[in-house]
Structure formats: structure tokens, C-alpha cells
């Protein structure tokens, strides 16, 4: 669920990778107004197959999708990546979390693409972004060509809730892991936003844990589910549950992958996704 989870859990093998990924590209960012909300985004490539990239919690264009924006084939694809409402440079206003925030993001993603004039596209959704992407695919099936999701879940179990609580206090994060988010949000802003996220998902858990289970059977487009078997925040039961409940879906696992498989194994990930999207 968390776009920066590998950082927060201090996974040493990913540290240099993460620092490099948080360096911004020279690709131009653009802002647009969508229903009184400022949305910051990039649009790269001239390919006929349009792709929307949806970041995870607190995530942004460059923290979450740099290898995909820069390396996916620009002749085959047009890559659109956004800072979700209230994240990164899609502010003001700052993000407000409540029990409907996943659904609100799904609706806003739909409206964002509609404002850009896009009505037929695929989605790459990571973590929180994958959850909202599944909701969008269920609610607006007419616009989705294909769906790719990883590090995502349709419900929350106790083990996951406990993992979130362990990293609630941002002062306990390592400086290396906290710095990119502090640069965006400030110390107090980061703690407030992260605490609000923890509160919101905590309420979902305490009210049964269901996020979007009923939506899965409504997804009609071909769906590619990927998962890192060593994901420290998403229990291994979730990719199996998604595959079982999304009719036209397939599953691919990275045996040594954690939460950020698209960053750690970007070349393999991009190849797999490219083949799926072009089938």
C-alpha cells in the first residue's frame, strides 16, 4: 500500500536505488485544473497505447515511476503519470484522508484522463494506486483497455495493520529514507499526512478490513497482477485472492521481490508489462 515502504522499513539493498529514483528527471511537468483540484503530471511518448501511472501512498511521478516513464517504448506507448490529489505538486490543497479516499482517487483519475481527452487507456497501479485503479476499472469499464497492479490488496488483515502502526512515527524513520518526503511536505506536514493515512486505513481495518472486494468481480478488462514474494507490507494471500476474483487475470511473482518490484527489477518488470499490454 505504501509507495515509500521499502525506505521506511530500512531495506539496505534498496537504499542507493531509492536515492537515485528520487532525483527528478528533466522531463517537463505540467499542471491542469480538474474539478477545482490542481493536478501535476507528465506526458511522454507518441505511441497509440495510452498508459496512466498511479503512484502509491504519498507517492509522486518521479518517486514511483521514473524507470517506466524513461524506459517504456515511446513509439508504442504514451505514458501519463500524475501526482494524485494532495500529493507532491498536486497541491494545494493538501490531501485529506477518509474512508473513501481510494474511491475518491479512482474518480479523480477518471476525471483527470477525461480532462486530457483520453477515453481509452491502460493503467499501471502500484500499492495504493493499484487499489484505486481496480476501483476505477470496476466503475468505469468502458475506458480501460488493460490493468496492471502490484503491491495492492482488496482488504486489510491484522498483520498488515500492525506493520503500518510500526512506522507511524516518522521521526523513527532513517534520515535517508525520510529526506525525499520531508523535501516535499516538510517535517510537520509529513507527519500529519502520514498519520492521517494510518488513521484512515486503521479505520478501514477496524470496520472489517474491506477495501474493494466487491469491485473485483466487476473488472472486465484483462488484468496483470504482479507480486514480490518478500513484500514486507502486503501479505502473500492477496495476489492469489485478486487472481481468483478478477476473471480475466494472470499472476506473475518475483521470488526475491519486495514491495517495489517495478523499481528494483525495472527492466524485467517493463518487459513483462510491455508484452502484456501489446498482446
Amino acid at each position: 500500500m505504501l509507495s515509500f515502504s521499502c525506505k521506511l522499513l530500512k531495506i539496505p539493498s534498496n537504499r542507493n536505488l531509492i536515492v537515485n529514483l528520487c532525483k527528478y528527471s528533466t522531463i517537463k511537468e505540467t499542471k491542469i485544473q480538474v474539478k477545482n483540484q490542481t493536478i501535476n503530471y507528465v506526458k511522454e511518448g507518441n505511441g497509440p497505447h495510452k498508459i496512466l501511472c498511479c503512484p502509491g501512498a504519498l507517492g509522486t511521478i518521479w518517486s514511483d515511476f521514473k524507470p517506466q516513464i524513461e524506459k517504456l517504448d515511446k513509439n508504442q506507448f504514451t505514458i501519463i503519470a500524475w501526482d494524485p490529489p494532495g500529493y507532491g505538486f498536486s497541491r494545494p490543497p493538501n490531501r485529506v484522508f477518509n474512508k473513501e479516499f481510494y474511491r475518491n482517487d479512482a474518480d479523480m483519475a477518471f476525471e483527470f484522463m477525461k480532462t486530457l481527452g483520453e477515453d481509452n487507456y491502460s493503467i499501471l497501479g502500484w500499492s495504493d494506486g493499484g487499489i484505486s485503479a481496480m476501483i476505477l476499472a470496476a466503475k468505469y469499464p468502458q475506458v480501460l483497455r488493460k490493468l496492471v497492479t502490484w503491491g495492492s490488496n482488496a482488504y486489510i488483515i491484522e498483520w498488515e495493520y500492525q506493520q503500518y502502526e510500526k512506522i507511524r512515527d516518522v521521526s523513527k524513520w532513517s534520515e535517508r529514507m525520510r529526506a525525499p518526503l520531508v523535501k516535499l511536505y516538510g517535517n510537520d506536514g509529513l507527519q500529519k499526512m502520514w498519520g492521517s493515512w494510518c488513521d484512515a486505513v486503521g479505520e478501514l481495518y477496524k470496520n472489517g478490513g474491506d477495501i474493494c472486494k466487491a469491485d473485483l468481480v466487476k473488472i472486465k478488462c484483462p488484468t496483470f497482477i504482479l507480486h514480490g514474494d518478500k513484500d514486507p507490507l502486503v501479505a502473500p494471500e492477496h495476489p492469489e485472492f485478486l487472481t481468483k476474483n478478477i476473471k480475466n487475470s494472470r499472476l506473475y511473482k518475483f521470488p526475491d521481490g519486495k514491495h517495489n518490484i517495478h523499481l528494483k527489477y525495472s527492466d524485467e518488470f517493463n518487459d513483462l508489462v510491455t508484452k502484456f499490454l501489446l498482446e
Side-chain angles (χ1 to χ4, degrees), residues 149-168:
T149 182
W150 65 102
S152 303
N153 44 328
Y155 57 91
I156 304 167
I157 64 173
E158 181 178 1
W159 175 82
E160 290 158 339
Y161 171 69
Q162 294 300 330
Q163 294 297 93
Y164 309 151
E165 287 300 305
K166 288 177 183 178
I167 54 178
R168 174 186 282 269

Side-chain angles (χ1 to χ4, degrees), residues 143-259:
V143 301
L144 256 289
R145 292 181 66 171
K146 294 187 177 182
L147 171 63
V148 181
T149 182
W150 65 102
S152 303
N153 44 328
Y155 57 91
I156 304 167
I157 64 173
E158 181 178 1
W159 175 82
E160 290 158 339
Y161 171 69
Q162 294 300 330
Q163 294 297 93
Y164 309 151
E165 287 300 305
K166 288 177 183 178
I167 54 178
R168 174 186 282 269
D169 184 354
V170 302
S171 70
K172 296 179 180 178
W173 302 358
S174 73
E175 182 60 25
R176 182 190 294 268
M177 308 312 169
R178 186 177 56 181
L181 290 174
V182 170
K183 184 177 181 180
L184 279 172
Y185 304 118
N187 281 297
D188 293 342
L190 173 59
Q191 182 61 74
K192 182 177 180 181
M193 186 178 291
W194 184 246
S196 295
W197 185 93
C198 291
D199 289 342
V201 296
E203 283 302 308
L204 285 170
Y205 166 70
K206 292 171 186 176
N207 283 284
D210 186 10
I211 303 174
C212 62
K213 288 193 290 186
D215 295 273
L216 303 183
V217 297
K218 301 176 185 177
I219 297 174
K220 298 179 180 179
C221 65
T223 300
F224 193 13
I225 300 154
L226 301 99
H227 183 70
D229 281 341
K230 296 181 180 178
D231 193 318
L233 291 166
V234 178
E237 66 190 70
H238 291 295
E240 307 292 347
F241 182 86
L242 296 179
T243 307
K244 180 179 179 180
N245 287 277
I246 298 175
K247 291 181 180 179
N248 189 9
S249 65
R250 69 183 70 170
L251 173 62
Y252 185 91
K253 294 184 178 182
F254 290 76
D256 294 318
K258 298 184 174 66
H259 196 55

